[in-house]
Amino acid sequence: MKPLSHFSLVCLSSLLFSFALPTVAQSNIDLVQKMQQNSATGYAQLHVTHRPAVKPKATPAPAEHYVADINLQKPDRFDLILSGDKNATLTIGAADGKVIWKDGATGLSGSAAYDEVVDVAVRVLLGKTANLKQEFKFSEFTVGKSKASAVELNAVVLTPRQFGTQLQSITVWLNAGNIIGIQALYLDGASTFASITKLKLEP
Amino acid sequence: MRLFKPQLGIALLCVIILSGCVLERRPLYAGYSKLSPRVYCPGDDLTASYDFLGTDSCPAGVDCSPYFPSVTVSSETALFAPRTTRAYSGSLNFRSAGNTVTVISETPSESVLIPTDRFQDGNRVFIDRTVHERREIRVSTIYGGEQQTLNHAGMCAGATPAYSAGEAWSAPQVSSRLVANRLCNTSSVPIIATVSYLSVPGLTTPDAVLTLGIAECRDLTRADLPVAPTPNRISVRPQTPDLSARCGALDGAAPPRNLSTSLGYACRL
C-alpha cells in the first residue's frame, strides 16, 4: 500500500463524527456544515474503493479495496487501520503533530510531520473553521427515488479553495439526513469512495 | 548554511526592498494556471489564465504592485502573440485551432511574494509562493471521441442498497458544445440506468430509463424531442439485487458491489 495516498480517508471520516447529534438545518449544505463544526470523538468503519490516477496512454490501474477502521479525536489525533486485498494492512496514527505508519505486509514503517502529509483541506475539515463557506464552495443535488434508485439520495459537493490542496472535490452522500458515503476526487484524477457501514460516537 | 538561488534572491529582496520581512511559505495551488475548457470542440474559444492569490488578497492600503509577478503566456503553435502581464492574476482568450493546443506560461522569478496585513516583530509578513518557471498545459479537441467513466459506488441507505450517481462533464470544464450521446454499461452485471437532463428555463425533459445488459451501449440522442437535451446525471442499480450486500446487518455489514458506466461524447453543431 502507499500510505501517504490514504490520508484523505481521515478527511472523509472527519465529516462523520458529529452526525448522530440531532441537527436542525435548512438545507443539506447547512446540515453538512453543522455536522463538521460539531467536534466529537468516535469510531467508524468504512468500505473504501481507491482508484489510482490514470496516466496518459497507460492502462488504468485496478481499483484498490479496503475496509478502514478509524478512531478520531478532532482536530489532529487519529488511528487508521486499513485492511486490504491479499491480507495487506496499513496502520496510520497521528498525535502531537506527527504521523507514523506501518505496512503490515512488508514491515516497513515511517513517520512525517502532520502538516506535511495531511492535506490542507483535510486539516481545515478536521479543525473548527467558523465559516466553512470561505474555505469551500458548496453545491448540492438530489437523486430522486426512481427505477434506478430505491431511495432518495442527496449529495453535497465541497470544492476546496485552499492553495496546495490535492483534492478537487469532496461529495457527501446523504439519505434521510444521514451520511452514507463520501467521495474524494483528486486533482491528478484519482478518486476514493468511502461507504459507511458502522459509526459509533462518544459524547 | 548554504543559501540556494531562490532563497538567496528572496533574502536579498528582503534586505534591499522590504527592509525586513517575514516570509511565510505556502504551497502553490496545483491549478494556479489553467487552460479551459480542457476538452474543446473545433472553433471554440479557449481561455488561458493564472492566479497566484487564490483565497488570499492584497491588504487594503498596501501597494502590492512592486511585488506583482511578470508572467509571459505564449502558445506552441503561435495561435496568438506572446503576452506579458504584471499582476497576481490574469487571463487571455484566443481561438482554438488543430487537434491540440499547448500554452506555455513563464515566470522569470522563482517565487511570488504577497503582502499580508499581519506583522511579526514589527515586520510585515509576506506569503512566499515558489513558482514553476515554465509550465506547459495541453488540451485536446473531441477528435477521436471522448469517454468518461462513471463509478457508481455501492452504499447502504439504512437497510437498502444504494448507488452514487455520476455527473456528466459540463461547461466550463469542457466545451459547452460537448454533449454526452452514448451510455454503456461497463459493470459486470446488467443494470437499470436513469438519465437525467440539464434543466433549461421553460423546458423540462423527463428522465430516460434504460435497461442495459453487460457491455451494452445505448444512444442518448433524443430524436423524439424538438430540442436536444443535455444529459447531466446517470443513476443506476443492478437489474437483480446484489446478494453480497449486507446492508443493515448488525455485524459484518457490507455495501453492494460498485457499478460503472461509460459516457461517450460528441460536439453539437
Side-chain angles (χ1 to χ4, degrees):
Chain A
M1 291 195 217
K2 300 183 190 81
L4 297 188
S5 66
H6 295 295
F7 283 117
S8 60
L9 287 174
V10 181
C11 154
L12 305 179
S13 311
S14 68
L15 282 162
L16 304 175
F17 288 90
S18 43
F19 261 70
L21 304 175
T23 307
V24 177
Q26 299 296 315
S27 68
N28 287 304
I29 290 176
D30 292 337
L31 185 67
V32 167
Q33 285 191 91
K34 286 182 179 176
M35 289 165 174
Q36 188 275 337
Q37 284 164 21
N38 292 335
S39 185
T41 297
Y43 160 81
Q45 187 177 70
L46 315 169
H47 284 246
V48 178
T49 304
H50 179 73
R51 296 176 194 279
V54 179
K55 292 174 183 163
K57 295 178 184 173
T59 307
E64 303 160 14
H65 300 281
Y66 307 99
V67 175
D69 291 278
I70 182 166
N71 284 292
L72 182 117
Q73 185 178 356
K74 289 169 81 175
D76 56 3
R77 301 175 83 90
F78 61 83
D79 295 311
L80 173 65
I81 300 171
L82 289 168
S83 309
D85 301 336
K86 299 174 189 169
N87 296 321
T89 59
L90 179 69
T91 308
I92 303 170
D96 304 323
K98 195 174 173 185
V99 175
I100 55 170
W101 56 270
K102 183 172 183 182
D103 187 334
T106 62
L108 294 172
S109 61
S111 67
Y114 180 84
D115 287 355
E116 286 178 12
V117 293
V118 180
D119 190 278
V120 57
V122 177
R123 300 203 301 268
V124 170
L125 286 171
L126 286 170
K128 281 186 174 181
T129 304
N131 189 352
L132 215 57
K133 281 187 177 172
Q134 280 183 350
E135 299 286 345
F136 295 88
K137 181 183 154 199
F138 281 81
S139 61
E140 66 179 317
F141 61 87
T142 298
V143 177
K145 194 174 172 182
S146 68
K147 284 188 178 175
S149 183
V151 290
E152 181 176 288
L153 300 173
N154 301 104
V156 175
V157 183
L158 291 77
T159 307
R161 297 182 197 269
Q162 303 86 22
F163 263 101
T165 181
Q166 296 304 307
L167 284 159
Q168 180 180 309
S169 67
I170 300 163
T171 303
V172 183
W173 288 91
L174 303 112
N175 169 251
N178 297 309
I179 287 189
I180 59 171
I182 306 181
Q183 181 178 30
L185 292 179
Y186 306 87
L187 290 167
D188 66 0
S191 67
T192 306
F193 195 100
S195 179
I196 295 140
T197 48
K198 204 176 281 183
L199 182 63
K200 284 183 185 171
L201 296 170
E202 294 168 16
Chain B
M1 184 179 76
R2 188 180 163 195
L3 277 175
F4 292 96
K5 196 176 159 194
Q7 287 86 347
L8 186 62
I10 293 163
L12 284 173
L13 193 67
C14 286
V15 170
I16 297 167
I17 300 174
L18 307 174
S19 303
C21 71
V22 180
L23 296 179
E24 184 180 281
R25 290 187 184 279
R26 296 241 194 113
L28 195 58
Y29 177 45
Y32 82 95
S33 66
K34 290 191 291 193
L35 181 55
S36 61
R38 62 184 170 75
V39 179
Y40 62 88
C41 291
D44 273 353
D45 284 338
L46 304 182
T47 302
S49 62
Y50 70 92
D51 179 8
F52 292 109
L53 285 175
T55 50
D56 299 306
S57 59
C58 183
V62 176
D63 179 13
C64 290
S65 59
Y67 314 109
F68 283 165
S70 173
V71 180
T72 301
V73 179
S74 59
S75 86
E76 200 174 61
T77 49
L79 287 174
F80 55 88
R83 186 184 295 178
T84 301
T85 52
R86 271 181 54 83
Y88 284 132
S89 61
S91 66
L92 172 71
N93 295 322
F94 61 96
R95 180 66 46 94
S96 63
N99 290 352
T100 60
V101 170
T102 303
V103 163
I104 302 138
S105 64
E106 291 172 285
T107 314
S109 59
E110 289 155 325
S111 72
V112 172
L113 295 177
I114 302 163
T116 71
D117 54 7
R118 289 176 287 120
F119 287 85
Q120 193 175 311
D121 300 327
N123 296 316
R124 186 178 291 278
V125 176
F126 282 72
I127 294 166
D128 167 24
R129 291 211 164 95
T130 303
V131 302
H132 305 287
E133 288 180 70
R134 182 184 161 91
R135 186 173 152 92
E136 287 187 12
I137 314 172
R138 178 172 283 118
V139 292
S140 305
T141 65
I142 186 68
Y143 285 119
E146 286 291 326
Q147 293 283 330
Q148 178 193 14
T149 299
L150 300 176
N151 296 305
H152 306 279
M155 300 179 283
C156 289
T160 308
Y163 298 84
S164 65
E167 288 202 85
W169 290 332
S170 60
Q173 281 75 36
V174 297
S175 169
S176 57
R177 291 162 56 208
L178 197 67
V179 63
N181 66 347
R182 207 165 69 114
L183 176 69
C184 299
N185 174 21
T186 50
S187 311
S188 57
V189 295
I191 61 167
I192 297 172
T194 299
V195 182
S196 307
Y197 296 89
L198 210 58
S199 305
V200 179
L203 181 69
T204 304
T205 306
D207 294 348
V209 179
L210 308 171
T211 53
L212 293 166
I214 299 168
E216 185 182 356
C217 297
R218 293 283 285 274
D219 191 353
L220 297 181
T221 311
R222 296 289 297 269
D224 56 322
L225 299 173
V227 179
T230 304
N232 78 325
R233 192 166 298 128
I234 311 293
S235 45
V236 300
R237 74 169 171 83
Q239 288 184 21
T240 53
D242 181 350
L243 298 176
S244 70
R246 287 173 51 83
C247 289
L250 291 175
D251 199 27
R257 288 194 197 95
N258 299 337
L259 301 173
S260 65
T261 52
S262 173
L263 277 174
Y265 288 83
C267 285
R268 203 175 258 162
L269 294 175

